[in-house]
């Protein structure tokens, strides 16, 4: 079954700890994206990668870091510098890095920082 | 950051009713408009991508229109069914060459169809 997997579904961390969210796709897509959802707001782009070993900041990159060492994987690290990390995080991928291209989403990870 | 507005924020209809909602976006340097459906506990699912002014797309009972000159898109659902209950998201992008081009999402319209 082709698709995007995110793990874990729920994640709890203590304040001040870094945490890494996993995103894997087997769709052979070049581009991958991380979004954050907060109540009353649209999805906001954190980081995106149009090709392996390259990534760009989105609108709210501060306090986050990513890597793209493999085509299939785009992990997101939420660092202690992120002031309000509790949110729902969605990963997506698309065949190309063009923004007219359909994006396919994973099921999301809900991060709660205690 | 560009402003994409969706209205209404939420909508409750009876099974069999037809309904529509609006997505408004900046009309300058338009490139593409996406519609997604997001059911509770599932992943957002792509419905349509539209790029041309006057575009009309249809998928079963759902259709969408696009007016890039005035900056709006309508999503129509004919004969709503309970399984249509979901949040409908629109997302807009300017030309990839435009500085800061990215997919900008609206907050969504939450549709509830009562049996």
């Amino acid at each position: 079954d082709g698709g995007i997997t995110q793990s874990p579904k729920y994640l709890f961390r203590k304040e001040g700890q870094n945490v890494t969210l996993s995103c894997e796709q087997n769709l052979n897509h070049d581009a991958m994206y991380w979004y954050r959802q907060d109540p009353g707001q649209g999805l906001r782009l954190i980081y995106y990668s149009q090709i392996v070993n390259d990534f760009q900041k989105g609108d709210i990159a501060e306090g986050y870091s990513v890597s793209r060492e493999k085509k299939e994987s785009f992990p997101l690290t939420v660092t202690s510098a992120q002031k309000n990390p509790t949110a729902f995080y969605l990963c997506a991928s698309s065949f190309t890095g063009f923004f007219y291209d359909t994006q396919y989403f994973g099921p999301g990870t809900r991060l709660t920082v205690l | 950051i560009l402003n994409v507005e969706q209205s209404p924020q939420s909508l409750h209809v009876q099974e069999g009713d037809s309904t529509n909602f609006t997505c408004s976006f900046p009309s300058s340097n338009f490139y593409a408009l996406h519609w997604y459906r997001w059911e509770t506990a599932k992943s957002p699912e792509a419905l349509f991508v539209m790029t041309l002014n006057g575009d009309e797309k249809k998928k079963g009972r759902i259709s969408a229109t696009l007016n890039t000159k005035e900056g709006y898109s309508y999503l129509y659902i004919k004969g709503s069914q309970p399984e249509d209950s979901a949040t409908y998201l629109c997302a807009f992008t300017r030309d990839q060459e435009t500085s800061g081009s990215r997919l900008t999402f609206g907050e969504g319209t939450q549709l509830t169809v009562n049996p």
Side-chain angles (χ1 to χ4, degrees), chain B residues 33-82:
Chain B
L33 192 285
H34 298 236
W35 280 101
Y36 289 87
R37 173 170 58 200
W38 194 358
E39 295 178 65
T40 303
K42 293 188 177 179
S43 307
E45 173 196 3
L47 288 172
F48 307 114
V49 179
M50 295 186 286
T51 56
L52 299 175
N53 185 42
D55 241 356
E56 290 188 28
K57 299 269 185 172
K58 189 172 180 183
K59 186 176 183 179
R61 293 178 292 97
I62 304 176
S63 60
T65 61
L66 178 67
N67 183 325
T68 61
K69 295 189 187 309
E70 296 182 39
Y72 64 83
S73 174
Y74 293 139
L75 189 80
Y76 300 92
I77 303 179
K78 186 177 176 182
S80 303
Q81 299 296 308

Side-chain angles (χ1 to χ4, degrees), chain A residues 9 35 37 40-45 48 50 57-59 88 90 97-108, chain B residues 1 9 31-32 34 36 38 41-46 49 51 89 93-94 96 100-108:
Chain A
K9 191 171 180 179
Y35 292 93
Q37 189 203 28
Q41 296 196 48
L43 298 179
R44 292 183 292 166
L45 183 65
Y48 66 101
Q50 293 171 305
K57 291 182 180 180
D59 296 316
F88 186 69
L90 273 172
F98 291 105
F99 288 106
Y100 60 71
D101 211 352
T102 297
Q103 293 187 11
Y104 296 83
F105 287 85
Chain B
I1 296 178
Q9 196 170 26
Y31 199 53
H34 298 236
Y36 289 87
W38 194 358
K42 293 188 177 179
S43 307
E45 173 196 3
V49 179
T51 56
L89 303 174
T93 185
R94 282 185 163 155
Q96 199 92 359
S101 173
R102 61 192 78 253
L103 209 54
T104 301
F105 283 82
E107 290 180 32

Side-chain angles (χ1 to χ4, degrees), chain A residues 7-8 11 19-23 34 74-78 89 109 111:
Chain A
S7 60
L11 192 52
V19 61
T20 297
L21 281 58
S22 166
C23 178
W34 275 105
F74 191 40
L76 174 75
T77 297
V78 185
Y89 291 87
T109 292
L111 173 64

Side-chain angles (χ1 to χ4, degrees), chain A:
Chain A
D1 259 339
I4 302 177
T5 55
Q6 291 185 244
S7 60
K9 191 171 180 179
Y10 298 96
L11 192 52
F12 297 89
R13 278 296 180 268
K14 290 184 180 178
E15 198 170 333
Q17 287 181 333
N18 290 358
V19 61
T20 297
L21 281 58
S22 166
C23 178
E24 304 275 333
Q25 55 99 358
N26 62 4
L27 300 168
N28 200 33
H29 286 172
D30 279 336
M32 297 185 75
Y33 312 82
W34 275 105
Y35 292 93
R36 168 179 170 143
Q37 189 203 28
D38 294 283
Q41 296 196 48
L43 298 179
R44 292 183 292 166
L45 183 65
I46 304 172
Y47 267 99
Y48 66 101
S49 167
Q50 293 171 305
I51 200 161
V52 175
N53 293 322
D54 188 42
F55 49 82
Q56 286 81 39
K57 291 182 180 180
D59 296 316
I60 54 166
E62 188 176 344
Y64 299 97
S65 66
V66 293
S67 63
R68 186 88 187 278
E69 295 173 6
K70 297 188 299 181
K71 189 174 185 177
E72 303 79 23
S73 178
F74 191 40
L76 174 75
T77 297
V78 185
T79 74
S80 57
Q82 168 49 231
K83 289 179 182 153
N84 188 15
T86 294
F88 186 69
Y89 291 87
L90 273 172
C91 178
S93 70
S94 62
F95 190 64
T96 72
F98 291 105
F99 288 106
Y100 60 71
D101 211 352
T102 297
Q103 293 187 11
Y104 296 83
F105 287 85
T109 292
R110 186 165 296 281
L111 173 64
T112 303
V113 175
L114 305 169

